[in-house]
Amino acid sequence: MVPPAEIIRFLKTRNNFLIATHLNPDGDGLGSAVALSMALRQLGKKTLLFCKDPVPKQCRYLPGQDEFQPFEALPSPEMKGYTLILVDCNDITRIHTDKTFLSALQCDASAVIDHHETEKRFGDERWIDPSSPATGLMIYHLVGELGAEMTEAMAANLYAAIAVDTGNFRHENTDAEVLRVAAGLVEKGANPTTAYRQLFESWTDGRFCLFLRVINTVDIREDISFVSVTQEMFRETSTTPDETDNFVDFPRIMERIAVSVFLRETGEGRFKVSLRSKGEVNVAKVAMALGGGGHRNAAGCTMEGDQDSIKTRLLEMIRPLVSRS
Ligand code: 5GP
Ligand code: MN
């Protein structure tokens, strides 16, 4: 993978960057943003890191993650002199939901570095590679092309980014190139055991209780599995929405399950939907048709209605994809 010369030139010729990643941030967005920020600082640039939602607990072990600020901390909504870089997303509405805020945010220019299949037209400079397993892999190559040194802190962030988006190197997007880059990052100081433990085995007791409840909601219809979480379950277990990360992966353990769906209640009659599939079943198409997006085997969107009608609608959309594959 070679980063386009235009993006290298774009980054080298500018001085102040506002680096932002998506809502409900994950290890790929967060790790990629921090590593990019560290590389740019080595070149003498000024960088600020933003995310609307807090860094989830499992990513807080990574150096530099404490630098993320909410957008309310911007010196002013008008960020003249700054270049906005969206990392691990390619549409401005993925970093904030408030349209008034987004139209007030006035940077000099903008760039997008992302690997999502579902593209929007945002950004003056765009590097979007849907064949890349993680944005972290793209940043790895970008660091080299920028002539920055891969420090231990950057290596830990990029290893985490790649580990998260490949499901710790086991999803369909795991190939020889990913494993070679991961090996390179381990040589630079990333620790695979620390990363795995922190990212995947650092649950609190409350999170485990929540998991038990969520798993008990399992509803298998044909070869499609549904699990769900309500706001009441969060209250009862003293947990937060970011603690449901990976829950959607578990029903896939059943061999016959082709698609696993997770419904997270975000408000009255409103659900965040996570979709996971195996092989050729492209759930990004379903998410996109519902106003969301993602990748072939991992995508998401927001839906309104009661759980039952949402499940029925999803079933109707997913069924033809599964029977065709
Ligand atoms: P998750 O289900 O873990 O929230 O997201 C799975 C993948 O789909 C991630 O790559 C995420 O960025 C993407 N995704 C989730 N929800 C949305 C959404 O509402 N819009 C778009 N464009 N992408 C989403
Ligand atoms: Mn990603």
Side-chain angles (χ1 to χ4, degrees), residues 6 69 73 92 145 219 323:
E6 297 77 38
Q69 306 179 67
I92 190 84
E145 288 293 312
D219 178 7
S323 57

Side-chain angles (χ1 to χ4, degrees), residues 96-115:
H96 211 295
T97 41
D98 182 356
K99 290 200 172 67
T100 319
F101 165 80
L102 290 174
S103 53
L105 183 64
Q106 295 290 332
C107 290
D108 286 5
S110 58
V112 163
I113 304 173
D114 184 34
H115 70 133

Side-chain angles (χ1 to χ4, degrees), residues 26 28-29 88 115-116 134-135 165 295:
D26 61 13
D28 190 29
D88 198 40
H115 70 133
H116 285 89
T135 301
D165 268 25
H295 312 279

Side-chain angles (χ1 to χ4, degrees), residues 33-52:
V34 166
L36 175 63
S37 163
M38 288 174 170
L40 290 171
R41 285 182 192 172
Q42 280 184 36
L43 306 183
K45 318 280 185 189
K46 184 173 172 192
T47 62
L48 297 171
L49 286 157
F50 285 89
C51 187
K52 179 179 176 286

Side-chain angles (χ1 to χ4, degrees), residues 22 24 26 88 94 115-116 118 120 165 245 248 272-276 291-295 298-302:
H22 54 81
N24 305 314
D26 61 13
D88 198 40
R94 289 285 292 141
H115 70 133
H116 285 89
T118 47
K120 296 275 166 59
D165 268 25
D245 209 28
V248 65
K272 170 76 185 49
V273 179
S274 288
L275 303 158
R276 299 291 184 272
H295 312 279
C301 60
T302 300

Side-chain angles (χ1 to χ4, degrees), residues 1 115 131-138 140-141 158-186:
M1 179 192 297
H115 70 133
S131 72
S132 180
T135 301
L137 198 78
M138 300 168 73
Y140 173 88
H141 292 291
L158 292 177
Y159 184 94
I162 297 168
V164 164
D165 268 25
T166 58
N168 212 48
F169 308 98
R170 67 197 158 92
H171 293 331
E172 277 91 341
N173 55 5
T174 306
D175 58 14
E177 152 93 341
V178 175
L179 294 169
R180 265 193 297 272
V181 168
L185 293 168
V186 171

Side-chain angles (χ1 to χ4, degrees), residues 51-239:
C51 187
K52 179 179 176 286
D53 296 322
V55 173
K57 177 179 168 285
Q58 66 268 19
C59 293
R60 282 186 220 141
Y61 78 100
L62 290 165
Q65 292 294 329
D66 53 345
E67 286 195 35
F68 278 97
Q69 306 179 67
F71 287 95
E72 294 75 49
L74 278 171
S76 111
E78 212 204 67
M79 293 298 286
K80 290 264 181 275
Y82 277 82
T83 296
L84 174 67
I85 311 179
L86 298 194
V87 174
D88 198 40
C89 55
N90 59 54
D91 182 34
I92 190 84
T93 62
R94 289 285 292 141
I95 65 166
H96 211 295
T97 41
D98 182 356
K99 290 200 172 67
T100 319
F101 165 80
L102 290 174
S103 53
L105 183 64
Q106 295 290 332
C107 290
D108 286 5
S110 58
V112 163
I113 304 173
D114 184 34
H115 70 133
H116 285 89
E117 205 161 291
T118 47
E119 279 193 40
K120 296 275 166 59
R121 298 264 23 113
F122 182 81
D124 300 312
E125 202 57 64
R126 300 160 55 79
W127 180 29
I128 300 176
D129 184 354
S131 72
S132 180
T135 301
L137 198 78
M138 300 168 73
I139 302 291
Y140 173 88
H141 292 291
L142 196 61
V143 168
E145 288 293 312
L146 284 171
E149 187 204 337
M150 182 65 71
T151 62
E152 191 175 325
M154 287 154 72
N157 274 283
L158 292 177
Y159 184 94
I162 297 168
V164 164
D165 268 25
T166 58
N168 212 48
F169 308 98
R170 67 197 158 92
H171 293 331
E172 277 91 341
N173 55 5
T174 306
D175 58 14
E177 152 93 341
V178 175
L179 294 169
R180 265 193 297 272
V181 168
L185 293 168
V186 171
E187 277 167 355
K188 294 288 181 186
N191 183 319
T193 312
T194 303
Y196 180 73
R197 294 257 163 83
Q198 295 285 343
L199 294 169
F200 300 102
E201 291 185 349
S202 62
W203 292 13
T204 59
D205 293 14
R207 184 168 178 184
F208 195 78
C209 289
L210 181 70
F211 173 69
L212 294 177
R213 291 191 194 201
V214 168
I215 286 301
N216 269 300
T217 67
V218 71
D219 178 7
I220 298 174
R221 304 194 187 181
E222 297 151 41
D223 35 17
I224 301 157
S225 159
F226 294 86
V227 287
S228 53
V229 68
T230 58
Q231 297 204 321
E232 194 182 358
M233 290 188 208
F234 288 126
R235 275 194 299 276
E236 285 169 0
T237 53
S238 305
T239 50

